[in-house]
């Protein structure tokens, strides 16, 4: 069976770092397009691709007429490679049974950064050749041992296969050129050899690209909203009533980092929550469900803040017990992590003492076992608050499902219009939510000031189900009445 060629096709680009870990594929010509192979750093001298009279598959290579005995007239050059031990093999036949001499030459080209040509090829060194004993159209299986002097070398070489002959007008047809080696060319840099790649933890990711160069289990950081910014979570805690609708009962800054390994599977989720304001008198908890991620997929949770409340039971891995999906109670009482320094509420009355925001750093470690490994798209964050230490009373973002612990008896009462997953945690008629997730840091309302009066286009956004006024939270006079904002 023919091997699949590396190619740059339909927008697919294979990076140099990835290729450094890849065996050089067999040149079997099955791409059918010389330009594709040139893009992959092969080169050809008077050798074309043919789809008739082939050796195997649908395509083979064909030289020009063999009327020159020079070994540098018709040839195939490999990309820069690091050679292994073994034999270079190929299949070759003639297009017609004529001619007096038909030879295949094999040579290597060392890398020469000083005296080489534009692509740094040093002087050609021929180390073997093969003469057709009989001038006919039989397929010849040709094998050349890699010289001991260059096998398993740490420096790059090119292999050059040449075709020469005299008499007649037949051509060489070639296929299945196999060079035991590791690809070491850089298609992004004129097909020159790659720079030396250092991979201290041997995970297949170069240290230059590895956020964890000494940890084989981790490779990449994947931040949301970004590595340098925070999003904002806001909650109104009088659900299922709208109450004062000031949306400052719990205000959190957040940043997520889904850490992936070299195979781009998530090994842990890191969450940073900054509690900015607690405009509530109720002792509310804050939780996070990873939708679709079962509790069994979590190996450990660290960083959660618990005060030993009697309604919270944890499994051995740190997730809440009795839940289908992984639930982490980040803290069970906001008023304990942000103690009041005088006056009512915390950081919502400008005349009251300011309380330094509290930072919670949460780490959720995940399994990478076969069949359970998760991709970034599998991690869906579902944050919520637990109202007044009543475990079955939760407030989630609009259209997010509650956890297994929530009671459905509150749905459809007060102003709540929850009848199905498509309308969960929204008010009747106006579609207003009780929880907000904004992918930027935004200010919140003064105590007991209606959110709609401060964010002027918010109500229209909610009523449209998020299709209009999508930047309602941005900082401009059309969107904000700053006199209402803390």
């Amino acid at each position: 069976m023919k091997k699949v060629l590396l190619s740059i096709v339909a927008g697919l680009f294979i990076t140099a770092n990835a290729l450094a870990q890849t065996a050089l594929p067999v040149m079997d010509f099955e791409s059918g397009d010389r330009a594709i192979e040139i893009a992959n750093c092969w080169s050809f001298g008077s050798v074309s691709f043919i789809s008739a009279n082939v050796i195997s598959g649908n395509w083979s290579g064909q030289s020009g007429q063999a009327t020159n005995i020079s070994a540098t007239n018709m040839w195939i050059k490999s990309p820069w490679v690091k050679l292994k031990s073994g034999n270079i093999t190929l299949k070759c036949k003639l297009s017609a049974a004529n001619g007096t001499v038909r030879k295949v030459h094999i040579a290597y080209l060392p890398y020469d950064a000083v005296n080489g040509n534009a692509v740094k090829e040093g002087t050609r060194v021929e180390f073997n050749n093969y003469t057709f004993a009989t001038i006919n159209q039989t397929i010849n299986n040709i094998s050349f041992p890699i010289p001991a002097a260059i096998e398993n070398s740490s420096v790059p070489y090119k292999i050059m296969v040449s075709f020469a002959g005299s008499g007649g007008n037949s051509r060489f047809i070639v296929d299945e050129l196999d060079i035991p080696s590791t690809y070491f060319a850089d298609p992004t840099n004129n097909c020159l050899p790659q720079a030396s790649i250092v991979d201290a933890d041997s995970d297949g990711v170069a240290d230059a690209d590895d956020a964890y160069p000494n940890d084989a289990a981790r490779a990449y950081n994947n931040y949301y909203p970004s590595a340098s910014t925070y999003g904002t979570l806001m909650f109104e805690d009088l659900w299922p009533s709208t109450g004062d609708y000031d949306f400052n009962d719990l205000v959190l800054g957040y940043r997520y980092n889904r850490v992936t390994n070299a195979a781009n599977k998530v090994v842990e989720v890191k969450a940073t929550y900054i509690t900015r304001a607690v405009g509530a008198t109720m002792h509310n908890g804050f939780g996070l469900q990873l939708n679709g991620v079962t509790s069994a997929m979590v190996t450990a949770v660290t960083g959660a803040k618990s005060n030993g409340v009697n309604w919270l039971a944890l499994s051995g891995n740190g997730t809440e017990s009795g839940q289908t999906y992984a639930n982490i109670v980040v803290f069970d009482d906001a008023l304990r992590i942000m103690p009041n320094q005088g006056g009512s509420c915390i950081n919502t009355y400008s005349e009251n003492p300011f309380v330094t925001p509290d930072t919670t750093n949460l780490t959720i470690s995940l399994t990478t076992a076969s069949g359970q490994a998760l991709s970034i798209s599998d991690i869906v964050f579902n944050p919520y608050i637990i109202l007044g230490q009543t475990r079955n009373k939760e407030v989630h973002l609009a259209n997010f499902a509650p956890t297994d612990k929530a009671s459905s008896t509150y749905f459809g009462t007060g102003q709540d219009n929850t009848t199905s997953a498509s309308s969960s945690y929204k008010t009747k008629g106006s579609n207003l939510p009780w929880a907000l997730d904004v992918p930027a840091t935004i200010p919140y309302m003064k105590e007991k000031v209606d959110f709609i009066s401060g964010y002027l286009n918010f109500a229209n956004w909610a009523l449209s189900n998020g299709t209009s006024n999508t930047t309602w939270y941005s900082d401009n006079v059309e969107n904000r009445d700053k006199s209402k904002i803390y």
Side-chain angles (χ1 to χ4, degrees):
M1 180 181 294
K2 293 203 172 189
K3 297 181 181 178
V4 178
L5 290 170
L6 296 169
S7 60
I8 302 173
V9 181
L12 173 63
F13 182 73
I14 302 173
T15 66
N17 284 335
L19 289 170
Q21 312 300 322
T22 305
L24 180 70
V26 173
M27 171 49 70
D28 59 8
F29 301 90
E30 289 305 298
S31 67
D33 189 340
R34 196 166 80 155
I36 289 175
E37 306 310 335
I38 291 173
N40 285 322
C41 301
W42 290 84
S43 55
F44 306 90
S46 297
V47 173
S48 59
F49 285 48
I50 59 169
S51 57
N53 194 21
V54 300
I55 291 177
S56 62
N58 297 314
W59 294 83
S60 292
Q62 179 178 272
S63 74
Q65 292 184 10
T67 57
N68 192 320
I69 60 172
S70 169
T72 59
N73 185 47
M74 301 183 297
W75 44 262
I76 299 170
K77 290 180 187 175
S78 76
W80 290 108
V81 296
K82 287 188 175 181
L83 292 160
K84 300 177 182 178
S85 58
N87 290 351
I88 299 169
T89 60
L90 67 151
K91 294 182 177 181
C92 194
K93 70 175 184 178
L94 301 176
S95 64
N98 62 47
T100 55
V101 176
R102 296 290 181 267
K103 293 185 81 170
V104 177
H105 299 263
I106 189 81
Y108 65 81
L109 304 170
Y111 176 70
D112 190 339
V114 178
N115 301 310
N117 56 18
V119 290
K120 310 302 181 184
E121 294 173 351
T123 303
R124 175 182 175 274
V125 179
E126 182 168 331
F127 59 88
N128 215 328
N129 60 73
Y130 175 88
T131 300
F132 281 60
T134 305
I135 306 299
N136 58 33
Q137 292 180 278
T138 300
I139 296 173
N140 290 252
N141 294 300
I142 304 172
S143 180
F144 300 115
I146 297 175
I150 61 174
E151 67 179 352
N152 298 315
S153 175
S154 61
V155 297
Y157 292 91
K158 287 186 179 182
I159 293 297
M160 180 176 179
V161 180
S162 305
F163 310 97
S166 62
N169 62 0
S170 65
R171 304 167 186 263
F172 290 87
I173 298 174
V174 61
D175 213 331
E176 299 186 24
L177 170 58
D178 190 0
I179 304 170
S181 60
T182 300
Y183 190 101
F184 204 69
D186 185 352
T188 69
N189 186 27
N190 200 31
C191 285
L192 292 170
Q194 297 176 45
S196 296
I197 293 177
V198 178
D199 182 9
D201 57 15
S202 301
D203 63 353
V205 180
D207 286 1
D209 300 315
D210 197 334
Y212 305 87
N214 296 306
D215 184 349
R218 295 166 177 79
Y220 306 108
N221 290 320
N222 304 273
Y223 292 100
Y224 182 85
S226 77
S228 59
T229 61
Y230 286 87
T232 304
L233 291 170
M234 295 176 168
F235 295 91
E236 175 58 49
D237 71 357
L238 291 180
W239 177 84
S241 298
T242 53
D244 55 17
Y245 210 68
D246 55 13
F247 256 116
N248 64 14
D249 297 326
L250 182 61
V251 180
L252 299 164
Y254 73 87
R255 178 188 295 154
Y256 298 121
N257 179 13
R258 293 146 297 179
V259 181
T260 53
N261 60 17
N264 288 315
K265 298 301 180 182
V266 181
V267 297
E268 66 186 12
V269 174
K270 295 182 177 180
T272 299
Y273 295 106
I274 300 174
T275 306
R276 297 166 55 194
V278 184
T281 57
M282 289 197 297
H283 293 255
N284 299 319
F286 172 63
L288 175 69
Q289 177 169 280
L290 299 181
N291 287 357
V293 178
T294 65
S295 298
M297 292 178 177
V298 175
T299 59
V301 176
T302 59
K305 296 176 178 177
S306 174
N307 294 285
V309 293
N310 59 15
W311 53 261
L312 176 58
L314 299 179
S315 300
N317 62 2
T319 62
E320 187 177 22
S321 62
Q323 299 271 28
T324 302
Y325 298 123
N327 272 265
I328 297 91
V329 176
V330 182
F331 51 80
D332 54 33
D333 188 346
L335 290 174
R336 284 184 178 270
I337 66 168
M338 289 275 283
N340 199 322
Q341 301 299 315
S344 59
C345 300
I346 301 168
N347 294 349
T348 59
Y349 285 111
S350 58
E351 61 269 26
N352 289 347
F354 180 78
V355 179
T356 302
D358 175 81
T359 298
T360 301
N361 292 305
L362 189 72
T363 299
I364 307 166
S365 300
L366 300 170
T367 182
T368 55
S370 177
Q372 290 186 300
L374 299 166
S375 300
I376 292 174
S377 60
D378 295 323
I379 307 298
V380 178
F381 300 105
N382 182 356
Y384 59 96
I385 59 173
I386 299 162
L387 298 181
Q389 302 296 294
T390 303
R391 182 60 192 90
N392 68 358
K393 197 173 184 181
E394 301 175 354
V395 174
H396 290 252
L397 298 168
N399 297 331
F400 276 71
T403 79
D404 293 341
K405 298 283 187 178
S407 171
S408 62
T409 59
Y410 301 102
F411 297 142
T413 65
Q415 280 79 47
D416 180 69
N417 193 39
T418 300
T419 57
S420 66
S422 63
S423 61
S424 63
Y425 293 102
K426 294 179 182 179
T427 61
K428 298 170 182 175
S430 54
N431 278 343
L432 295 175
W434 278 269
L436 283 173
D437 178 356
V438 178
T441 298
I442 64 170
Y444 51 89
M445 304 304 297
K446 294 177 180 178
E447 187 61 38
K448 298 190 184 303
V449 177
D450 192 318
F451 193 81
I452 295 170
S453 70
Y455 283 93
L456 307 176
N457 289 305
F458 170 73
N460 291 333
W461 170 80
L463 190 61
S464 72
N465 285 314
T467 61
S468 68
N469 300 100
T470 55
T471 58
W472 61 265
Y473 55 85
S474 62
D475 186 7
N476 57 59
V477 295
E478 290 80 13
N479 284 337
R480 296 181 185 178
D481 181 347
K482 294 185 179 181
S483 69
K484 308 290 181 65
I485 293 173
Y486 178 81

